Amino acid sequence: MRLYSIAIYLFLYVPIFIIVLFSFNAGRHASELRGLSLQWYGKALANPFVVDAFVTSLVVALTVAILSTLMGTAAALALQRLKGTLRILFDGMIYISIMIPGIVIGIATLVALVTVFNFLNPLLASVWPEGVKPLKLNMGYATVIAAHTLFTMSLVIILVRARIAGMDRTLIEASTDLYATPWRTFYQITLPQIFPAILSGFLLSFTFSFDDFIISFFVAGANTTLPVYIFSSIRRGITPEVNAIGTMVLAVSLILLMAAQYLLHARTNR
Amino acid sequence: MSEQDISESPDIRFVGVSKWFGDVVAVDKIDLSVERGAFFSFLGPSGCGKTTSLRLIAGFDQPTEGDVFISGTSVVGIPSHKRPVNMVFQNYALFPHMNVADNIAYGLRQRNPKPPKQEIAKRVDETLELVRLSGFGKRKSWELSGGQQQRVALARALINHPTVLLLDEPLAALDRKLRREMQMELQTLQREVGITFILVTHDQEEALSMSDRICIMREGQIIQSGSPRELYDEPVNRYVADFVGKTNFFNGKVVTANKSSISINSESCAVLVGVKSKGAPTPKIGSNACVAVRPEMISISAADEKDNHADIVIKGHVKNRIFLGEHSEYLIVTEGFGDVLVLSPKTNESNRRIFAPGDHVSISWMPEAVLVLEDT
Ligand SMILES: Nc1ncnc2c1ncn2[C@@H]1O[C@H](COP(=O)(O)OP(=O)(O)OP(=O)(O)O)[C@@H](O)[C@H]1O
Ligand SMILES: [Mg+2]
């Protein structure tokens, strides 16, 4: 039994460990280790494509996290008041949007957006004032952010809903009983109570968006995100540079994870 | 309600109040009034609508029908944060992300305009002292024992000087000894602050020992309300007699009924005589009724002794004896009358023996001491 679990952990973590180790490789080839150095990190960070992709990923992930946290939390608070068939309908749609494979979301969003853009762009051009270059809708930041947010918002809704359901309802009644208006009750009692779920939702959304390849691949247009860049550079062969980028992405994710753990622990440790 | 008697109006008044949840009726056409400064209790079994009644006063629920008045003003439709009442919740509902002082200050901080900081701090200290928790302000609520949390919940409500304090089974989570202590404290506190207390409980002992007035409920309706003594001595029916204190019941059919006495033909064919309870209607001849005999009204003697005054003498043997300090409680197995509970005071009289399980005894009572009640 113990051997079995060790094997599982090895299987999970050894590849990751190897990537981290090889990112410090002094040699030119990804497959043989020749001394340690930081040269590949330097190379990666000096590569304008990598830096661009990294910034794009950060901007997209941050926007997605903020939008989906705000909208998801608001939606969760509203959905909790819904009853009957309408509630079942919305619950169903939320779970379905999480279960749909990323590739389906990617293709469907792409097709939908292309169709809409093809319809709207001539329309816009015709109503645009003379002499000004007309606005042309295109794939880019907005589309990838929208596609990611659609997915991550459902995550936030589910997380926050679970927290609201587990929350002691009498706390809210106690607050209104003590003369707090509904709005004050919300930010003095409800918000602190559901904050851990909102924070997890934010971080999950961020990591999902930061790591996502499939959806971004279809709808990011010219704005290459880091996973898309890594994919395309791997096609030209695995270099230690890719390992270095991978390690940096890993570091960002781990730091976020630890920050979340720390914040949650500091709040709920009671 | 006319204008001039507003100052004299009761603190809480229900006029034909009903509350339906879907097709379940939780409170069924209740009329009720609670005098200023009273210690009032709702008593009844689980699900009879006690909490719902309290929530209608607090404003968490609105009545389906009827009118609720606080100090003579109708509050129907007024949300809970605008009502001058405060509630102590069964699970205390202390805010877990705030310390004790912040919990207690919560109500004051919602005021508009907000009182100055020093004033709030002063009032919090005073209230902590009132509930004997001085120095606990910086603690977290989850660092306190059950009894201490209960007192914080009380302080959090009392600091606002509400017109009425609502308490929903505030002592249910405490152990027996602590509960006794807190009952005493609550009573003392109520006299000290002079606020009307409305308590919900399903513990008849608690209601009897603490309240000025008790309202006994069943299935959303008020069966009887009155002082503890009235409920104990003059129950309107079997339900109330059964709920308030221990009672032996003997069922039968009414054979004669007049002003002074009522007799029933019991199931074991003996005729039992008793008096009518004040406030209860005279049972009709032929209807089902029961004789209610309080255990302390029954005297017990050795089987061979004779008690000439007694109306009825029943033979039996002792099954069980519980020593209760001042009293002994006997469970007597009788012929034809089932198991009978007898409470016998400890006396120095030599003819009062202590009986042991298995002893043959006879029990008897005076007809004036027992009530004939409608069997509902
Ligand atoms: N929100 C609600 N929705 C539906 N039914 C309810 C609701 N609240 C109470 N009820 C029903 O109303 C009736 C009275 O409930 P209530 O909570 O007032 O009882 P209670 O006397 O306080 O009982 P307990 O001693 O168990 O607390 C019960 O039958 C209960 O199921
Ligand atoms: Mg209740």
Side-chain angles (χ1 to χ4, degrees), chain B residues 50-51 90 168-169 200:
Chain B
K50 307 178 299 283
T51 299
Q90 180 168 352
D168 189 1
E169 310 213 17
V200 158

Side-chain angles (χ1 to χ4, degrees), chain B residues 296-351:
Chain B
E296 68 272 17
M297 295 300 181
I298 304 180
S299 52
I300 181 169
S301 54
D304 41 7
E305 284 176 54
K306 272 268 176 315
D307 188 343
N308 296 327
H309 307 293
D311 157 62
I312 184 153
V313 177
I314 299 168
K315 297 210 178 309
H317 66 269
V318 178
K319 187 178 180 187
N320 208 342
R321 187 185 124 223
I322 302 167
F323 178 66
L324 295 170
E326 298 287 297
H327 301 274
S328 287
E329 196 178 85
Y330 292 97
L331 189 63
I332 312 288
V333 182
T334 63
E335 296 148 16
F337 288 89
D339 291 359
V340 178
L341 201 64
V342 179
L343 199 64
S344 173
K346 192 172 95 182
T347 59
N348 297 328
E349 288 176 47
S350 52
N351 63 343

